[in-house]
Amino acid sequence: MNYSQKTSSSYQDEIRALKHQLKAKEEEIENLQKEIQEQKSVFDTILEGSLAGYWDWYIQDDYEYMSPTFKKMFGYKDHEIENVPTAWQEIVHQDDLPKVFETFNEHINSKGKIPYDNEVRYHHKDGSVVWVYCRGQVIEWDDEGNPLRMVGCHVDITPLKKVQELSLRNKELNAKNKELEQFTYIASHDLQEPLRTVRSFAHLLEERYADKLDKTGVKFTQYINQSAERMSDLIKALLDHSRIGKKVNLKKVSVENILVSTKNDLFALLKETNAQINFNKMPCLYVYPVEFKLLLQNLIRNAIKFQPSGNQPVINITAQKEKDNWKFAVQDNGIGIQNNQLEEIFVIFRRLHLRSEYAGTGIGLAHCKKIVELHNGKIWAESEVGKGSTFYFTIPL
Ligand code: ADP
């Protein structure tokens, strides 16, 4: 074997070995590609499953891949939105676009140190607004430090925004309510003083000038007195109403004990009207005891009061455990209420009868409503004119 033959055979061996290595590398690359493909499909499945949309922006090429979920979030099919940045810029809320660019520039200028984080509104195809939380990151830069590729994801946060808006509105409403209650308290408190003066001068007029007044003058003085007294009652009622819910503590009480004590308090009235109050087994509950007793007392008083003359009031009180609350019912055999008036009776000072027919200020049921709402419950009435009414209220468990 000469030198050239030997060299050529060693070359061939080397080539064979290289070919072998190349094949192994090719196989390795193929396996890696398979692995990458598998991982990408897992990644896509997770992203799509999480209902988050994602985007992949090749900044210099003006190409931006937007995932189907991204587009679906705004009511579009995949083919309905072109994969270019101008496409999303058209559906983003125009008021939010400057903020998007500002955050993007901050991210770029800080070389990615300041995160690209945004809450942005988009227009849904159906005209509604979709709130999106958007987070992105430049993942490739060129040698001059210009961004080449940026990826990010979109999450629909509309329900969260709605809850936030609602709780904000709730807070504002609560503050307004407090302000209004404060105003009612101060107004009714301050009104009492001048009223006291009117009443005392009207009494003086009656006492000292009775002989100097003619019949009409005496009548007028009586009117002043009656009206001042009525106004005093209304102001006192208003003051009581504004006090409900102030300085209250929840306590576990036996409703049965409250009813027994209410019956004792109403002893004279029960005797006078011969009213019969029945109740079944009552629960022990966490309530505001003073207010809760006032609630039952008002309902029972009304049930006794709004009766046809000569009728023996029969009142049945029941408590029934439901899914999330206790439902109480105070049923009477009184005059009843027309269907179209079943809601207005809970409005402050709303009465359906003349005072000459049935005495009262018209605040009792407004008290009841406020007390039930203080317990996060509901109150309503059902009735049949001439047969009687049932007042229901719930107390959450
Ligand atoms: P008041 O008893 O001082 O009139 P309420 O606020 O307690 O005020 O009641 C408002 C109105 O609702 C009453 O004037 C009456 O017309 C009606 N009402 C309340 N309870 C009953 C009842 N049990 N039966 C019939 N009507 C009722």
Side-chain angles (χ1 to χ4, degrees):
M1 193 191 292
N2 62 27
Y3 174 75
S4 71
Q5 274 178 324
K6 194 179 162 194
T7 318
S8 128
S9 102
S10 84
Y11 271 147
Q12 273 171 3
D13 284 350
E14 224 170 281
I15 287 169
R16 216 171 290 126
L18 277 172
K19 269 189 180 164
H20 190 72
Q21 271 180 24
L22 190 67
K23 199 166 176 232
K25 282 278 173 229
E26 272 174 1
E27 265 171 26
E28 206 178 307
I29 288 171
E30 203 178 305
N31 283 341
L32 277 173
Q33 272 173 342
K34 252 192 216 156
E35 212 174 296
I36 289 171
Q37 202 49 46
E38 269 169 26
Q39 281 182 358
K40 188 172 180 309
S41 91
V42 170
F43 171 72
D44 282 348
T45 316
I46 289 171
L47 262 182
E48 296 293 295
S50 74
L51 300 179
Y54 77 95
W55 43 273
D56 190 348
W57 183 18
Y58 293 80
I59 299 169
Q60 313 283 337
D61 305 329
D62 204 32
Y63 171 81
E64 183 169 356
Y65 171 77
M66 289 172 253
S67 72
T69 315
F70 178 118
K71 298 173 184 175
K72 202 170 147 198
M73 214 175 267
F74 312 121
Y76 292 95
K77 295 213 171 70
D78 195 16
H79 68 272
E80 288 180 308
I81 291 191
E82 212 187 327
N83 285 327
V84 287
T86 44
W88 65 260
Q89 285 167 19
E90 271 168 28
I91 57 166
V92 79
H93 198 296
Q94 292 307 296
D95 291 350
D96 293 350
L97 204 51
K99 195 171 74 176
V100 172
F101 290 132
E102 199 182 302
T103 324
F104 173 71
N105 287 334
E106 274 179 354
H107 181 65
I108 302 299
N109 295 336
S110 68
K111 291 283 167 284
K113 281 200 188 82
I114 299 177
Y116 177 81
D117 259 351
N118 243 335
E119 284 183 6
V120 184
R121 287 166 295 171
Y122 277 80
H123 295 290
H124 192 279
K125 199 177 175 185
D126 67 12
S128 62
V129 167
V130 182
W131 270 100
V132 165
Y133 172 67
C134 177
R135 193 182 182 122
Q137 176 84 44
V138 172
I139 55 164
E140 275 176 41
W141 305 82
D142 68 11
D143 295 341
E144 273 98 55
N146 299 310
L148 290 177
R149 188 176 168 198
M150 184 170 178
V151 292
C153 69
H154 270 187
V155 180
D156 184 348
I157 53 165
T158 316
L160 184 77
K161 281 280 168 192
K162 281 194 176 143
V163 170
Q164 279 175 353
E165 262 167 41
L166 262 177
S167 81
L168 193 75
R169 283 246 299 279
N170 225 4
K171 259 192 201 151
E172 283 169 3
L173 256 169
N174 275 343
K176 282 256 167 319
N177 241 354
K178 279 219 171 87
E179 218 175 274
L180 211 73
E181 279 193 356
Q182 193 67 9
F183 169 77
T184 315
Y185 179 78
I186 292 168
S188 39
H189 195 263
D190 291 358
L191 277 174
Q192 274 181 326
E193 199 42 52
L195 188 62
R196 226 170 273 141
T197 315
V198 172
R199 286 174 75 187
S200 56
F201 276 102
H203 276 302
L204 279 176
L205 210 61
E206 248 182 351
E207 276 171 26
R208 294 201 198 159
Y209 294 84
D211 50 344
K212 294 198 176 65
L213 293 172
D214 62 3
K215 255 189 181 167
T216 322
V218 170
K219 218 182 223 164
F220 285 175
T221 328
Q222 278 170 353
Y223 285 152
I224 295 175
N225 261 328
Q226 278 167 9
S227 297
E229 217 135 283
R230 169 118 186 98
M231 192 165 168
S232 169
D233 286 348
L234 293 179
I235 289 173
K236 249 189 250 144
L238 209 55
L239 204 57
D240 286 344
H241 192 70
S242 72
R243 277 192 189 124
I244 289 175
K246 275 195 178 148
K247 296 191 198 133
V248 285
N249 283 320
L250 271 181
K251 222 174 129 188
K252 192 163 190 179
V253 297
S254 146
V255 179
E256 205 159 312
N257 286 350
I258 291 189
L259 279 170
V260 170
S261 142
T262 306
K263 267 176 94 168
N264 287 338
D265 294 348
L266 299 177
F267 178 75
L269 181 70
L270 295 183
K271 206 167 166 218
E272 183 193 321
T273 55
N274 197 22
Q276 188 186 319
I277 301 181
N278 311 311
F279 50 87
N280 62 0
K281 199 168 159 30
M282 290 285 147
C284 284
L285 289 181
Y286 273 98
V287 292
Y288 300 106
V290 178
E291 284 73 13
F292 192 81
K293 185 173 176 186
L294 183 65
L295 163 69
L296 286 170
Q297 219 173 56
N298 280 346
L299 293 178
I300 294 171
R301 271 184 188 281
N302 278 351
I304 296 173
K305 179 164 61 171
F306 295 103
Q307 289 281 342
S309 66
N311 209 33
Q312 184 201 9
V314 178
I315 300 147
N316 295 313
I317 305 171
T318 54
Q320 198 185 326
K321 197 175 185 177
E322 293 191 328
K323 211 172 84 195
D324 303 319
N325 49 44
W326 276 96
K327 181 173 153 191
F328 289 86
V330 179
Q331 181 203 38
D332 65 47
N333 58 338
I335 55 173
I337 304 161
Q338 279 181 16
N339 254 338
N340 60 351
Q341 292 176 315
L342 286 172
E343 281 182 23
E344 63 181 274
I345 52 173
F346 293 98
V347 174
I348 205 163
F349 296 142
R350 190 63 53 94
R351 310 197 70 233
L352 307 179
H353 307 278
L354 294 173
R355 262 179 306 129
S356 52
E357 290 175 285
Y358 296 99
T361 55
I363 206 154
L365 287 180
H367 277 354
C368 291
K369 188 165 186 277
K370 193 169 174 190
I371 294 169
V372 171
E373 284 171 0
L374 186 71
H375 289 85
N376 292 321
K378 284 198 176 103
I379 186 165
W380 70 99
E382 289 172 10
S383 185
E384 208 176 317
V385 175
K387 292 223 163 132
S389 313
T390 307
F391 283 80
Y392 295 97
F393 65 89
T394 57
I395 302 287
L397 287 174

